[in-house]
Amino acid sequence: MQLVKGLFKIPAFLLGLFLFAATLALAFLGPLVFHVDVSTRVGDPYMAPSAAHWLGTDHLGVDMLSMLVMGLRASLYVGFLAGVVATIVGTLIGVYGGYKGGLLDDILTVLTNLFLVIPTLIVLILLSSSMDKGRSLTLIALIIGGTTWTWSARAVRAQSSSLRARDHVALARINGFSTLEIVLEQILPYLLSYIFMVFILQTATAILTEATISMLGLGPYDSISLGKILNDAKTNEALIGGKWWAFMPAMVLVTVIAFSLYVINTAMEGVFNPRLRK
Amino acid sequence: MLRKNPTLRHILGRAAWYFVTFLVAVTVNFFLPRLGDANPIDAILAKTNAGDSAGAREKEEAYLRQFGLAEVDAQGKVIRTADGKPVRTGLGKQFVSYLGLTLQGDLGTSFLQFPKPVSEIIKDALPWTLCLQLPTIIFGWLVGNLLGALAAYKRGVFDRIIYPLALLVSAVPAFCVGILMVYYFGIKLEWFPAVGGYDAGTTPALSSDFLSSAAYYYVMPFLSIFMIVVGGQSIGMRSMVIYELGTDYVKYAKLLGIKENKILLYTFRNAMLPQLTGLALALGAMVGGALITEIIFSYPGLGMAILTAIQGNDYPVITGCTLLITVCVLVANFSVDILVGLLDPRIRAAQAAESN
């Protein structure tokens, strides 16, 4: 608790938290302030920002601010879902492997290392390019989560195998606690802050990854996303035409989300990792 | 012999492991695109079913034979069922022939630019990617490490300026830097050409006209990647040096009264090892590392080749590029494993202990 209190005294952490909260507010409270509609063309293509349309229109004449809010929601959804999947899978495999060891651990380690070396983006490109109608936002999130867990598995495994050697774990073992009890009571509590940091990083990575594959033309077919807005702006020559409102806000949002999450993570690392604490 | 030579045994072991990884990558490369609802077979058949004329028929035959998609008889003609549909080859058989061709270095033929071989398309694009990335990564790595070491050692003002800047740059997605540069320096200020790799009036050749225009187009993509490399490297180096400066051997050396410069030399040498690994890995990731940056600048490298292929469902080109990228990453990882084993006395010792 002392540590968490200390966290709220770090300016960088507060900045990150504030920025992230601001994007959340735009995504979920924005529609209460202004009208969000992404299915009607409200004007000509690429109309400049005006009082009626604060961020102008896109290449089809749809209100850009509405597109942005819906795209932001989609990107946050992808980040959250992929982050949850990657963290849960990674933690399960990591904790099991690190604490239990044995043959299954060896197999899992080989598997993890195998997919750590083969670039995630490649697997994503190959999988996504084989989907056409089926490439939904949820599927993209699941694919991202299903390919990025390797990294968290390795990180968590290293942590839990070092915990394994601690006295309190040995004591619990001698006293006949079951493996599940030991993992839940003696291992996981020590890993919680670490797992949370892993989750934050996985979320940030997932949001950036979604933007990347959408810009490669492999975005979701059933939804707007920040990456898809950027892809549309690039393919419909908004960038070359200098229509800043078509790409700048989406770009700023992606950057702000990723930046705020990184800053939160770095600040937490400084507090929870005693070796970095001065 | 292997028992006596732990280093050689280590190298062979790693080589075997990476070969298995390569086989997995090839398998993934073949099966993943065929999993979904838009697989390459349908893409190619849809393309050939466009017309019923003799020409279209002939083209279809050529496609089916070329990609090994249909059974052929002894004369090399495609076997057809009663209603004229070609008899499809099973996926397993296709995979075996794909594996054989890939191991021989044959990546197949492009769907879009038929009958241009995939290797030719890669050969056209790869030099652009390499020329853009190789100098950028090496130069950026050097500058980044220098700045990082400086920030860690001097702390104070240096650290308060360099570190947050580096943190900002490395947290900003690569494509954002590219987009900003295209918009401000390309479109608004018109300092540099916004997109492309060379002047439309010139053709790629070793002429001064072409080289000077290529150099002019080079500046912005170079800077956008350079900044990110410097940011990432300096953060890594900074934390490594800070860690090393706090270790017992440094405290001990200080107590012994060893000169500060000498201690710094020790710490930097130790801090460099992970950074060297980072350099090798960055070089391996080079081929696939800046796909998006290339796309933003419409730079004629591998990124644009993949984008064009994805937009046109050109599966042989997509899988050819992805395989190339994967192989580069594998080779880099393999080199790092070997290099670290040779350079790091701790790992050397561990290898020797293993063999006893």
Side-chain angles (χ1 to χ4, degrees):
Chain A
M1 238 32 246
Q2 205 62 42
L3 286 178
V4 177
K5 258 186 213 152
L7 204 54
F8 282 93
K9 285 190 191 122
I10 300 175
F13 180 77
L14 293 175
L15 174 75
L17 211 59
F18 170 75
L19 286 175
F20 190 67
T23 57
L24 282 182
L26 177 61
F28 297 104
L29 302 179
L32 302 177
V33 182
F34 42 81
H35 182 62
V36 170
D37 175 13
V38 289
S39 48
T40 35
R41 299 181 180 189
V42 294
D44 293 331
Y46 290 141
M47 276 193 331
S50 62
H53 303 290
W54 296 348
L55 287 174
T57 59
D58 74 348
H59 63 290
L60 296 171
V62 177
D63 179 47
M64 198 63 216
L65 187 58
S66 305
M67 294 283 290
L68 215 58
V69 168
M70 296 315 283
L72 179 60
R73 283 183 174 192
S75 288
L76 288 170
Y77 170 72
V78 167
F80 181 74
L81 185 57
V84 166
V85 170
T87 309
I88 289 180
V89 175
T91 304
L92 283 179
I93 291 183
V95 168
Y96 180 89
Y99 179 71
K100 261 290 197 190
L103 183 66
L104 190 57
D105 173 42
D106 289 342
I107 295 173
L108 289 174
T109 307
V110 168
L111 205 73
T112 311
N113 287 342
L114 209 70
F115 281 95
L116 265 177
V117 186
I118 299 175
T120 307
L121 188 62
I122 293 307
V123 177
L124 275 171
I125 289 177
L126 290 171
L127 254 182
S128 319
S129 66
S130 80
M131 316 273 176
D132 189 18
K133 290 256 158 37
R135 201 165 62 220
S136 66
L137 194 65
T138 305
L139 188 73
I140 288 181
L142 291 178
I143 294 177
I144 294 177
T147 46
T148 50
W149 60 265
T150 48
W151 168 79
S152 43
R154 186 139 100 171
V156 171
R157 189 186 175 283
Q159 294 286 324
S160 67
S161 86
S162 83
L163 273 171
R164 190 188 138 80
R166 292 228 191 133
D167 289 344
H168 64 89
V169 177
L171 208 60
R173 244 198 323 261
I174 294 168
N175 279 314
F177 284 99
S178 71
T179 305
L180 189 69
E181 279 171 320
I182 295 177
V183 165
L184 285 181
E185 285 160 22
Q186 307 294 334
I187 305 257
L188 271 184
Y190 291 86
L191 289 177
L192 267 186
S193 67
Y194 193 76
I195 292 172
F196 187 66
M197 286 190 274
V198 165
F199 170 67
I200 290 177
L201 274 189
Q202 291 280 16
T203 303
T205 312
I207 289 172
L208 288 180
T209 310
E210 185 279 325
T212 303
I213 56 169
S214 291
M215 286 179 80
L216 278 166
L218 294 170
Y221 84 101
D222 63 343
S223 165
I224 303 158
S225 75
L226 292 179
K228 235 174 131 183
I229 294 177
L230 289 172
N231 183 50
D232 280 342
K234 168 75 183 155
T235 45
N236 295 299
E237 319 223 299
L239 188 53
I240 297 302
K243 321 272 189 231
W244 60 267
W245 58 90
F247 55 86
M248 213 61 104
M251 197 195 81
V252 169
L253 276 181
V254 176
T255 310
V256 166
I257 299 175
F259 182 70
S260 62
L261 290 176
Y262 279 137
V263 168
I264 291 175
N265 179 67
T266 315
M268 284 182 70
E269 226 181 335
V271 170
F272 289 115
N273 187 344
R275 222 164 57 184
L276 289 177
R277 232 184 299 148
K278 264 195 291 189
Chain B
M1 189 185 85
L2 283 182
R3 194 170 290 268
K4 284 202 184 114
N5 193 337
T7 314
L8 187 65
R9 206 179 59 167
H10 172 71
I11 292 177
L12 286 178
R14 294 319 289 164
W17 195 83
Y18 277 104
F19 186 69
V20 171
T21 314
F22 169 73
L23 288 183
V24 172
V26 174
T27 313
V28 161
N29 224 27
F30 176 83
F31 282 103
L32 283 190
R34 287 164 176 79
L35 273 182
D37 52 358
N39 62 70
I41 322 276
D42 293 338
I44 191 77
L45 287 180
K47 227 175 135 117
T48 56
N49 286 345
D52 245 347
S53 63
R57 231 334 137 63
E58 211 170 277
K59 208 170 172 193
E60 188 189 49
E61 290 258 308
Y63 271 127
L64 291 171
R65 261 203 306 275
Q66 184 77 36
F67 300 112
L69 298 181
E71 297 282 355
V72 288
D73 59 18
Q75 283 91 45
K77 279 194 71 91
V78 172
I79 303 174
R80 286 170 188 282
T81 54
D83 56 350
K85 286 229 170 81
V87 178
R88 288 213 191 160
T89 315
L91 213 53
K93 210 169 158 193
Q94 281 184 46
F95 178 60
V96 172
S97 76
Y98 170 80
L99 201 62
L101 287 174
T102 306
L103 289 177
Q104 289 166 39
D106 184 347
L107 294 176
T109 316
S110 162
F111 283 178
L112 269 187
Q113 304 174 45
F114 193 79
K116 199 174 184 183
V118 173
S119 51
E120 200 117 317
I121 293 177
I122 290 180
K123 222 184 277 166
D124 288 344
L126 197 57
W128 289 97
T129 298
L130 292 183
C131 287
L132 176 61
Q133 296 255 46
L134 195 62
T136 319
I137 290 176
I138 293 180
F139 194 46
W141 182 82
L142 285 172
V143 173
N145 278 314
L146 268 173
L147 286 180
L150 209 64
Y153 176 57
K154 294 269 184 198
R155 301 306 285 257
V157 186
F158 261 112
D159 204 25
R160 249 172 268 145
I161 296 170
I162 296 176
Y163 183 56
L165 258 179
L167 212 59
L168 183 72
V169 170
S170 64
V172 170
F175 54 82
C176 292
V177 180
I179 289 179
L180 281 177
M181 287 187 114
V182 169
Y183 181 63
Y184 279 108
F185 301 122
I187 308 288
K188 279 247 137 165
L189 301 171
E190 294 187 21
W191 285 358
F192 295 100
V195 290
Y198 51 92
D199 237 5
T202 60
T203 45
L206 274 178
S207 66
S208 63
D209 262 5
F210 169 72
L211 288 180
S212 65
S213 101
Y216 190 34
Y217 278 81
Y218 187 76
V219 178
M220 286 213 301
F222 170 82
L223 281 179
S224 82
I225 303 174
F226 179 74
M227 277 166 56
I228 290 161
V229 178
V230 169
Q233 290 296 332
S234 59
I235 291 176
M237 186 64 178
R238 176 185 172 273
S239 62
M240 273 316 294
V241 171
I242 289 180
Y243 171 73
E244 290 290 338
L245 284 175
T247 49
D248 290 341
Y249 77 86
V250 170
K251 286 179 197 149
Y252 183 58
K254 270 184 189 155
L255 285 176
L256 286 180
I258 295 177
K259 280 206 190 77
E260 180 135 23
N261 283 342
K262 194 141 196 190
I263 300 179
L264 276 184
L265 205 68
Y266 290 142
T267 51
F268 286 159
R269 206 171 62 186
N270 282 337
M272 276 320 276
L273 194 67
Q275 295 303 101
L276 262 178
T277 327
L279 175 65
L281 290 181
L283 289 176
M286 166 171 73
V287 174
L291 296 180
I292 300 298
T293 307
E294 284 182 13
I295 288 171
I296 298 223
F297 288 102
S298 299
Y299 209 72
L302 221 57
M304 283 309 275
I306 290 191
L307 181 68
T308 320
I310 287 175
Q311 284 168 345
N313 281 335
D314 196 347
Y315 287 97
V317 177
I318 300 178
T319 51
C321 292
T322 51
L323 192 64
L324 175 74
I325 294 170
T326 312
V327 168
C328 289
V329 172
L330 290 186
V331 169
N333 276 280
F334 178 60
S335 323
V336 164
D337 280 1
I338 303 304
L339 218 85
V340 168
L342 293 177
L343 289 180
D344 195 329
R346 283 165 296 191
I347 293 180
R348 238 179 8 230
Q351 283 167 20
E354 243 172 62
S355 61
N356 288 330

XYZ file of all heavy atoms in Angstrom, chain A residues 125-174:
379
model
N 0.426 -10.930 -40.531
C 0.190 -10.642 -41.952
C -0.360 -11.888 -42.640
O -1.352 -11.828 -43.369
C 1.503 -10.198 -42.637
C 1.919 -8.809 -42.161
C 1.338 -10.186 -44.157
C 3.237 -8.340 -42.726
N 0.288 -13.037 -42.370
C -0.126 -14.270 -43.036
C -1.550 -14.648 -42.665
O -2.381 -14.962 -43.521
C 0.826 -15.408 -42.673
C 2.230 -15.290 -43.266
C 3.135 -16.343 -42.680
C 2.166 -15.429 -44.776
N -1.855 -14.585 -41.341
C -3.194 -14.968 -40.893
C -4.253 -14.004 -41.419
O -5.284 -14.415 -41.934
C -3.236 -14.979 -39.369
C -3.265 -16.338 -38.693
C -3.351 -16.146 -37.199
C -4.443 -17.164 -39.187
N -3.963 -12.700 -41.279
C -4.967 -11.710 -41.664
C -5.207 -11.726 -43.156
O -6.312 -11.484 -43.621
C -4.531 -10.304 -41.258
O -3.955 -10.318 -40.005
N -4.141 -11.997 -43.937
C -4.341 -11.950 -45.381
C -5.184 -13.130 -45.863
O -5.704 -13.114 -46.965
C -3.002 -11.913 -46.111
O -2.313 -13.114 -45.912
N -5.291 -14.154 -45.011
C -6.117 -15.291 -45.420
C -7.583 -15.071 -45.068
O -8.453 -15.805 -45.492
C -5.617 -16.571 -44.764
O -6.084 -16.636 -43.447
N -7.849 -14.044 -44.279
C -9.236 -13.754 -43.895
C -9.745 -12.610 -44.756
O -9.027 -11.682 -45.038
C -9.321 -13.293 -42.444
C -8.511 -14.087 -41.497
S -9.456 -15.462 -40.930
C -8.242 -16.284 -39.933
N -10.979 -12.694 -45.104
C -11.543 -11.587 -45.853
C -12.758 -11.082 -45.103
O -12.719 -10.098 -44.376
C -11.897 -12.069 -47.258
C -12.283 -10.922 -48.148
O -11.955 -9.775 -47.786
O -12.904 -11.161 -49.187
N -13.865 -11.819 -45.216
C -15.087 -11.459 -44.500
C -14.939 -11.727 -43.010
O -15.545 -11.071 -42.192
C -16.249 -12.289 -45.055
C -16.629 -11.876 -46.453
C -17.900 -11.063 -46.421
C -18.035 -10.194 -47.657
N -17.558 -10.800 -48.890
N -14.128 -12.734 -42.681
C -14.039 -13.144 -41.293
C -13.140 -12.280 -40.446
O -12.991 -12.511 -39.255
N -12.506 -11.270 -41.067
C -11.518 -10.499 -40.316
C -12.201 -9.436 -39.459
O -12.157 -8.254 -39.754
C -10.528 -9.868 -41.281
C -9.231 -9.496 -40.621
C -8.160 -9.220 -41.633
N -8.482 -8.107 -42.489
C -8.247 -8.057 -43.789
N -7.709 -9.075 -44.383
N -8.562 -7.004 -44.486
N -12.825 -9.880 -38.389
C -13.540 -8.943 -37.536
C -12.580 -8.340 -36.517
O -11.469 -8.814 -36.332
C -14.664 -9.656 -36.809
O -14.118 -10.594 -35.913
N -13.049 -7.287 -35.866
C -12.236 -6.597 -34.875
C -11.838 -7.554 -33.756
O -10.682 -7.600 -33.318
C -13.025 -5.415 -34.310
C -12.226 -4.402 -33.517
C -11.228 -3.715 -34.407
C -13.145 -3.377 -32.881
N -12.830 -8.364 -33.283
C -12.551 -9.308 -32.206
C -11.506 -10.322 -32.634
O -10.590 -10.632 -31.872
C -13.852 -10.037 -31.807
O -14.824 -9.051 -31.479
C -13.618 -10.953 -30.640
N -11.630 -10.819 -33.866
C -10.658 -11.807 -34.333
C -9.260 -11.207 -34.383
O -8.280 -11.848 -33.981
C -11.061 -12.322 -35.717
C -10.198 -13.493 -36.179
C -10.555 -14.739 -35.402
C -10.352 -13.739 -37.665
N -9.166 -9.971 -34.859
C -7.854 -9.319 -34.914
C -7.259 -9.220 -33.515
O -6.083 -9.513 -33.298
C -7.977 -7.928 -35.570
C -8.227 -8.113 -37.070
C -6.728 -7.099 -35.343
C -8.350 -6.844 -37.836
N -8.114 -8.824 -32.551
C -7.637 -8.734 -31.170
C -7.150 -10.095 -30.682
O -6.104 -10.205 -30.042
C -8.742 -8.206 -30.263
N -7.921 -11.151 -30.985
C -7.538 -12.490 -30.526
C -6.239 -12.937 -31.192
O -5.380 -13.551 -30.545
C -8.658 -13.496 -30.827
C -9.921 -13.300 -30.005
C -10.996 -14.304 -30.414
C -9.626 -13.421 -28.509
N -6.098 -12.617 -32.481
C -4.865 -12.995 -33.168
C -3.678 -12.276 -32.539
O -2.629 -12.875 -32.276
C -4.941 -12.661 -34.678
C -6.008 -13.516 -35.367
C -3.597 -12.920 -35.346
C -6.184 -13.183 -36.837
N -3.846 -10.977 -32.270
C -2.740 -10.217 -31.664
C -2.395 -10.806 -30.296
O -1.233 -11.080 -29.991
C -3.100 -8.722 -31.538
C -3.239 -8.106 -32.933
C -2.035 -7.980 -30.748
C -3.657 -6.661 -32.933
N -3.438 -11.027 -29.474
C -3.192 -11.607 -28.151
C -2.559 -12.984 -28.251
O -1.673 -13.334 -27.480
N -3.035 -13.764 -29.236
C -2.552 -15.131 -29.387
C -1.141 -15.223 -29.933
O -0.551 -16.301 -29.931
N -0.603 -14.108 -30.448
C 0.764 -14.172 -30.949
C 1.754 -13.411 -30.077
O 2.953 -13.606 -30.210
C 0.863 -13.602 -32.388
O 0.152 -12.377 -32.434
C 0.298 -14.561 -33.401
N 1.257 -12.550 -29.178
C 2.204 -11.764 -28.393
C 2.398 -12.291 -26.973
O 3.178 -11.725 -26.215
C 1.783 -10.282 -28.315
O 0.411 -10.228 -27.910
C 1.938 -9.592 -29.637
N 1.679 -13.366 -26.589
C 1.794 -13.861 -25.216
C 3.188 -14.402 -24.908
O 3.607 -14.455 -23.758
C 0.772 -14.962 -24.943
C 0.911 -16.152 -25.833
C 0.230 -16.365 -26.986
C 1.799 -17.263 -25.684
N 0.632 -17.546 -27.556
C 1.600 -18.110 -26.786
C 2.744 -17.625 -24.723
C 2.298 -19.299 -26.965
C 3.451 -18.808 -24.898
C 3.231 -19.633 -26.008
N 3.914 -14.821 -25.957
C 5.219 -15.462 -25.737
C 6.131 -14.594 -24.887
O 6.804 -15.071 -23.987
C 5.911 -15.703 -27.076
O 5.852 -14.511 -27.849
C 5.241 -16.815 -27.837
N 6.091 -13.305 -25.192
C 6.964 -12.380 -24.504
C 6.630 -12.315 -23.001
O 7.522 -12.376 -22.152
C 6.821 -11.016 -25.175
C 7.424 -9.925 -24.405
C 8.751 -9.627 -24.356
C 6.751 -9.017 -23.559
N 8.930 -8.584 -23.507
C 7.727 -8.187 -23.009
C 5.404 -8.828 -23.199
C 7.407 -7.176 -22.115
C 5.102 -7.832 -22.319
C 6.084 -7.022 -21.793
N 5.326 -12.246 -22.683
C 4.978 -12.176 -21.260
C 5.214 -13.525 -20.582
O 5.550 -13.569 -19.396
C 3.534 -11.702 -21.051
O 2.658 -12.299 -21.938
N 5.048 -14.625 -21.333
C 5.310 -15.938 -20.736
C 6.759 -16.026 -20.284
O 7.054 -16.480 -19.173
C 5.013 -17.044 -21.746
N 7.651 -15.565 -21.127
C 9.058 -15.654 -20.761
C 9.369 -14.774 -19.549
O 10.077 -15.185 -18.631
C 9.932 -15.249 -21.949
C 11.383 -15.483 -21.631
C 12.146 -16.055 -22.776
N 12.880 -15.004 -23.449
C 13.781 -15.245 -24.384
N 14.021 -16.487 -24.767
N 14.428 -14.271 -24.960
N 8.806 -13.556 -19.567
C 9.076 -12.640 -18.462
C 8.533 -13.204 -17.144
O 9.234 -13.211 -16.122
C 8.460 -11.278 -18.772
N 7.292 -13.697 -17.176
C 6.679 -14.210 -15.949
C 7.376 -15.482 -15.478
O 7.573 -15.697 -14.276
C 5.167 -14.475 -16.162
C 4.571 -15.212 -14.973
C 4.430 -13.180 -16.389
N 7.790 -16.306 -16.440
C 8.475 -17.549 -16.071
C 9.752 -17.246 -15.281
O 10.030 -17.874 -14.263
C 8.824 -18.350 -17.324
C 9.343 -19.728 -16.988
C 9.830 -20.474 -18.205
N 10.408 -21.737 -17.793
C 11.612 -21.856 -17.260
N 12.351 -20.785 -17.093
N 12.059 -23.040 -16.881
N 10.518 -16.275 -15.768
C 11.764 -15.921 -15.092
C 11.480 -15.476 -13.657
O 12.153 -15.888 -12.710
C 12.477 -14.821 -15.857
N 10.418 -14.652 -13.491
C 10.077 -14.152 -12.153
C 9.651 -15.292 -11.231
O 10.093 -15.379 -10.086
C 8.935 -13.140 -12.258
C 9.306 -11.870 -12.981
C 10.184 -10.990 -12.136
O 10.017 -10.912 -10.934
N 11.150 -10.336 -12.766
N 8.779 -16.160 -11.741
C 8.227 -17.173 -10.835
C 9.269 -18.249 -10.533
O 9.244 -18.847 -9.454
C 6.948 -17.791 -11.411
O 7.221 -18.542 -12.555
N 10.202 -18.487 -11.436
C 11.208 -19.493 -11.099
C 12.185 -18.950 -10.061
O 12.781 -19.708 -9.297
C 11.920 -19.999 -12.351
O 12.982 -19.175 -12.685
N 12.345 -17.618 -9.992
C 13.207 -17.082 -8.935
C 12.467 -17.086 -7.593
O 13.072 -17.240 -6.529
C 13.693 -15.679 -9.303
O 12.722 -14.725 -8.971
N 11.127 -16.935 -7.664
C 10.337 -16.983 -6.420
C 10.356 -18.391 -5.809
O 10.312 -18.572 -4.595
C 8.884 -16.601 -6.716
C 8.546 -15.135 -6.681
C 7.134 -14.918 -7.200
C 8.667 -14.612 -5.268
N 10.395 -19.362 -6.695
C 10.361 -20.765 -6.301
C 11.434 -21.102 -5.258
O 11.227 -21.919 -4.376
C 10.586 -21.589 -7.561
C 10.363 -23.048 -7.460
C 10.831 -23.665 -8.757
N 11.567 -24.891 -8.458
C 10.961 -26.035 -8.184
N 9.661 -26.107 -8.239
N 11.655 -27.098 -7.877
N 12.577 -20.430 -5.407
C 13.704 -20.742 -4.524
C 13.605 -20.042 -3.167
O 14.444 -20.250 -2.296
C 15.010 -20.349 -5.223
N 12.568 -19.216 -2.977
C 12.496 -18.457 -1.717
C 12.080 -19.333 -0.542
O 11.389 -20.343 -0.703
C 11.489 -17.315 -1.866
C 11.986 -16.270 -2.830
C 11.835 -14.912 -2.235
N 12.077 -13.900 -3.257
C 11.279 -12.871 -3.426
N 10.212 -12.721 -2.666
N 11.554 -11.976 -4.330
N 12.448 -18.880 0.639
C 12.197 -19.671 1.847
C 10.711 -19.889 2.120
O 10.292 -20.979 2.490
C 12.841 -18.992 3.059
C 14.357 -19.114 2.993
O 14.825 -19.969 2.208
O 15.043 -18.358 3.689
N 9.921 -18.819 1.943
C 8.504 -18.977 2.295
C 7.801 -19.994 1.405
O 6.871 -20.668 1.824
C 7.777 -17.622 2.284
C 7.718 -16.973 0.933
N 6.705 -17.199 0.052
C 8.551 -16.102 0.331
C 6.901 -16.479 -1.035
N 8.034 -15.812 -0.894
N 8.287 -20.134 0.170
C 7.705 -21.138 -0.722
C 8.120 -22.534 -0.267
O 7.306 -23.463 -0.193
C 8.135 -20.892 -2.183
C 7.585 -21.980 -3.087
C 7.649 -19.529 -2.650
N 9.401 -22.668 0.099
C 9.906 -23.957 0.590
C 9.151 -24.365 1.852
O 8.747 -25.518 2.020
C 11.399 -23.851 0.861
N 8.914 -23.392 2.727
C 8.203 -23.640 3.981
C 6.792 -24.151 3.708
O 6.327 -25.116 4.329
C 8.145 -22.322 4.764
C 8.082 -22.452 6.283
C 9.329 -23.180 6.784
C 7.983 -21.071 6.911
N 6.131 -23.499 2.752
C 4.774 -23.914 2.395
C 4.784 -25.333 1.846
O 3.878 -26.128 2.121
C 4.190 -22.950 1.361
N 5.802 -25.645 1.082
C 5.904 -26.994 0.514
C 6.090 -28.031 1.612
O 5.452 -29.074 1.619
C 7.059 -27.055 -0.494
C 6.579 -27.353 -1.910
C 7.688 -27.840 -2.816
N 8.960 -27.213 -2.602
C 9.445 -26.211 -3.336
N 8.736 -25.730 -4.320
N 10.633 -25.707 -3.078
N 6.971 -27.709 2.546
C 7.230 -28.649 3.640
C 5.969 -28.877 4.461
O 5.673 -29.981 4.900
C 8.353 -28.109 4.559
C 9.669 -28.070 3.789
C 8.502 -28.974 5.809
C 10.742 -27.306 4.489
